[in-house]
Amino acid sequence: MAAMAAVALSACCCVRGEKKSLDAQVEDILSQMTLEEKIAIIHAQSKFSSAGVPRLGIPELWTDDGPHGVRPDVLWDQWNSAGNTNDSCTAFPALTCLAATFDRELSSLYGVSVGEEARYRKKNVLLGPGVNIYRTPLGGRNFEYMGEDPYLASRMCVNYIKGVQSNGVATCVKHFCLNNQEFNRHTVNVKVDDRTLYEIYLPAFKAAVTEGGSWSIMGAYNLYDGTHLCHNSRILNDILKKEWNYDGVVISDWGGVSDTEGAVKGGLDLEFGTWTDGLTMGATNSYDRYWMANPYLEKIRSGEYGTDELDDKCRRVLKLMLRTSLYDNGGPGRFTCPEHYAAARRIGAEGIVLLKNEGGLLPIAADAAKIVVLGENAIKPMTVGGGSSSLKVQKEVSILEGIRNAFPNAEVIYERAYQGSTKGGYDNYGAYDITDERSAETLVADALKACEGADYVIFAGGLNKDWMQDAEGTDRVDYNLPYGQNEVIEALAAVRSDLVVVNVSGNAVAMPWADRVGAIIQDWYLGSEAGNSLADVLSGAVCPSGKLPFTIPVALEDGPLKTPEQYPGVKGEDGIWQEEYSEGIYVGYRWYEKTGVKPRFAFGYGLSYTSFAIGEPKLSSKVLRDKLTVTVPVENTGDVRGAEVVQLYIGADNSVVDRPVKELKGFEKVWLNPGEKSSVSFTIDRQAVSFFDTEIHDWNAEAGDYTIYIGSSSDDISSTARFSL
């Protein structure tokens, strides 16, 4: 039987000894399939797989959660762990960290590495990356996304996608689209104008499919214009498949489909996770009850539906299979290898953002005799939790371990200081119990006592990946740090003004103590090498170069979301929450610059252990016709090798429509030795100055004068230049 299947497949793929085009192969296979076989390949057959066509030698399609690593295997028809011993992975930093590197090359390294792990595990589709826009610091899943700016997210996702797919593993870009909160994610209906949709919430997805070439994309749970996004015809058919000419597969989020009519007509291609009762429903396989399974088949047999939509879905799914499960040039892949740990460590270190460093407190001196490490997040595992991105890892280096590794000759003392989340794990792996029986008062008192005579005091706190922190299925309920950490930090700062605060999170947090501590580091969920990545920065082995991918406001009220109608929405009588994106295009730094409200730390901000001089930009022309080049000199004026991210923003001097003060349109990261000079170049085209004109439903490059802003963050502009269109 296997030999016959191989012959059938071979016959599909070759003509007169020459390999056919992908489309020709698809048509050959499709022409040989029965109606039942077509229905079988457009819905799941298990929690994470869909059927192939055994008669024609077409194998099953296997998906698995990402985007930060390859999820452990679960049982065929249950969410419980399969209990395997060979599915521990390398955990890479969360995508907020990758975005904070502002480094496209690291995005490629990340994608290739995680793609190799998926390939080794024989996964055909990796469910990621996530590119939804960071709209509020309360968003529970922001840690999986790439920040508040659509240009940054667009540029950083493309190389990730290409890297993964170079292994013959498809990315599944998620969650398309307007999935900007976890609260009531199944029942919130987003109302947004077209200009905002196209300028803020669609660009990263468009780049992912038109430039990155992602072979699949995942619909979102929420609604837009009254229709769920897993079968929203305007988003999936009109925009994705027609405007963007997408030839890949639209996969539902698990449980995101709600009826057969919507699934058939609304642009969905492959249905996963629709709620069924396992295999306890009787003789009929529960997966045959999916909306695009027997219900669809019966409507075709009755004549209610034709087969045009079915054939289109099958073509796309078959093309995905040929690109992945039948791809033979990806090699065997690699798993938990030294190269992947090195990649995770490097990406983590280069994504860490130094927010404050009073008097050059950091890096820690090599001859430090006593280092005190405080805080629960110094010992808490962070690779488990957070929802579907939870991972089963081969190893996870804690912050405490990393600091001890970096300073073997120092006395490194640990005290808890506060207690928040004491127990955790995921299914039957990653279990931990870090319960401490001391009272909150005793924990603080013991921490204060430990600080006596210390050369350095490091507080490692922040959020975690537990419920109502940074986690799928729930948003945060408070902008402040949880578990009384603000009060603990204040108490520590009262006796140690040189306190180093390490904030581990995927979101901005309130920092009322920012003026009273010596140094602040924005750390992230850094994966397997978390502690070593942080220690590399603390020790100076790596000069910090990360930049904030989102704004950190002083108070939540300073941001653009002011009313319940804006967030989290208002519940209607039908049970649907109605939410107005009435802030429009003014998300993140665009809002703060429009209103003049000064944030705690601006978008794109990040310090270094060295210093840089960014020179005046030189333009290839003062008039933009098709393209012009901007060249910016940059020099390392300090004593340490380091990297600066030169950022280019553009603002329209006058416009017929309301436009932001400026918008990010270019960034380049450059590493320089002390005293070394170099330059970076940017290409500006008409798209860079365009706004989405709803009257013509197209991008409009408006004639007029424009200003280029060059700087090291959105609020640190060192020079400007002007050109006209």
Side-chain angles (χ1 to χ4, degrees), residues 378-393:
I379 62 171
K380 178 178 169 60
M382 292 288 189
T383 55
V384 293
S388 63
S389 66
S390 185
L391 296 170
K392 175 182 178 181
V393 294

Side-chain angles (χ1 to χ4, degrees), residues 181 184 187-191 223-226 563-581:
Q181 69 188 62
N184 290 323
T187 55
V188 62
N189 179 51
V190 173
K191 300 178 182 179
L223 298 86
Y224 159 70
D225 198 25
T563 68
E565 287 78 11
Q566 289 178 293
Y567 174 83
V570 177
K571 189 175 184 179
E573 293 182 359
D574 58 357
I576 301 297
W577 292 70
Q578 302 296 331
E579 186 172 48
E580 298 270 1
Y581 281 30

Side-chain angles (χ1 to χ4, degrees), residues 621 623-628 686 724-725:
S621 173
V623 179
L624 171 62
R625 291 181 172 85
D626 293 319
K627 293 180 180 180
L628 65 82
R686 297 173 69 89
S724 62
L725 174 66

